[in-house]
Amino acid sequence: MNAVPSVSPAGAASAVDARVCIVAITKHGAAQAAALARQLPQASICTSAKFAGAFADVANPVRAYEGALRDEIAPLFEGFDQLVFFVSLGAVVRLIAPHLKNKDIDPGVTVIDDAGQFVIPVLSGHVGGANAMAEQVAALIQATPVVTTASDVGRTIPVDILGRELGWCVEAPKINITRVSAHVVNGEPIAFVQEAGRPDWWTRPTPLPASIERLTRFDQVDPARHRAVLWVTHAEIAPEVWTRWAERLVVYRPPREEPAA
């Protein structure tokens, strides 16, 4: 048995199951938030009591607080998977800073300007799902999403969350995930070996980058050419394989009931 840690699919709940809260503290922000809330009936609302009237005709749960927004951040972090702020970016950064832990458990945080023109994922954009939330919200309010995560901008494989929606688990030391992610976003030759799991894992509207070579067996990998390997398999990985591909191998474990690729 190898001693490499298994990392379950990280971060955000699915878009359907995510606990979402929309936060607004200004008159214009509350009006924008109310419009968004009508399109996201599952979302909760957190707003200054001064502007609670803006939400009088929405069915969403509303918390109208009397004190300072900073006192609401801890329970918001604890209670929700996605926080959507109609608050200035700088203010949100200062508000959330004392509550940050790590990207595997922090909620996704998205900021929208008062005019509803730009939707910016600020925290846990990739693993925590804020990038996807920003894209969804931008489509709903006809705004521009501002996504900066390299794998999303480059429309390439997100190494740390690949297959998450299919129930795949990632098996690799964190250093491997970091190093391989860098190789992928830099467009270096990558072997994608799929021996198990569903074949429909690539869901972006753009083609798979040419730097990713799809293979069906691990013995097809060329160590002289491929800078890293992404391996979808049920096979046990021998310790010498991890050693040979030190910091260059990430393994994915699909559910065993999935059809073979």
Side-chain angles (χ1 to χ4, degrees):
M1 298 292 289
N2 69 71
V4 175
S6 293
V7 182
S8 295
S14 71
V16 174
D17 299 329
R19 301 166 298 166
V20 179
C21 187
I22 304 169
V23 184
I25 63 170
T26 67
K27 179 180 179 180
H28 291 107
Q32 293 281 351
L36 176 59
R38 294 184 188 98
Q39 299 183 78
L40 293 175
Q42 82 281 11
S44 296
I45 295 161
C46 178
T47 188
S48 168
K50 181 178 179 180
F51 302 111
F55 303 96
D57 65 344
V58 302
N60 309 62
V62 177
R63 167 164 170 70
Y65 63 88
E66 295 283 355
L69 179 55
R70 66 174 174 272
D71 298 326
E72 304 297 318
I73 302 301
L76 288 173
F77 262 54
E78 181 66 26
F80 295 95
D81 303 305
Q82 297 294 328
L83 302 176
V84 179
F85 285 86
F86 285 88
V87 182
S88 73
L89 176 58
V92 169
V93 169
R94 293 180 185 279
L95 285 165
I96 67 176
H99 304 276
L100 305 186
K101 295 179 181 176
N102 66 67
K103 67 180 182 179
D104 294 328
I105 61 175
D106 289 334
V109 175
T110 301
V111 167
I112 307 172
D113 65 287
D114 251 17
Q117 294 181 312
F118 300 101
V119 186
I120 310 167
V122 177
L123 180 70
S124 298
H126 183 56
V127 174
N131 288 352
M133 191 74 210
E135 299 270 5
Q136 178 187 1
V137 169
L140 291 174
I141 67 173
Q142 297 184 322
T144 300
V146 183
V147 178
T148 59
T149 303
S151 61
D152 291 333
V153 172
R155 302 297 183 186
T156 191
I157 289 178
V159 172
D160 50 352
I161 61 171
L162 179 65
R164 179 173 65 184
E165 296 298 324
L166 302 177
W168 295 7
C169 293
V170 185
E171 183 177 286
K174 285 193 174 184
I175 188 62
N176 288 39
I177 295 172
T178 300
R179 296 279 193 258
V180 174
S181 294
H183 291 311
V184 169
V185 300
N186 287 328
E188 298 171 9
I190 305 296
F192 184 91
V193 183
Q194 186 165 15
E195 300 173 343
R198 287 171 49 177
D200 56 342
W201 54 269
W202 181 253
T203 57
R204 296 194 189 278
T206 51
L208 189 67
S211 57
I212 310 293
E213 183 178 2
R214 300 183 74 158
L215 306 172
T216 57
R217 302 190 318 273
F218 188 78
D219 61 12
Q220 296 173 318
V221 177
D222 181 357
R225 183 164 59 87
H226 295 120
R227 291 300 307 274
V229 182
L230 305 175
W231 190 4
V232 188
T233 186
H234 293 312
E236 182 176 336
I237 312 301
E240 56 266 27
V241 174
W242 288 107
T243 300
R244 188 182 320 129
W245 288 90
E247 301 184 5
R248 296 193 296 151
L249 171 63
V250 176
V251 173
Y252 300 91
R253 303 298 195 182
R256 286 192 173 271
E257 62 271 17
E258 278 193 3

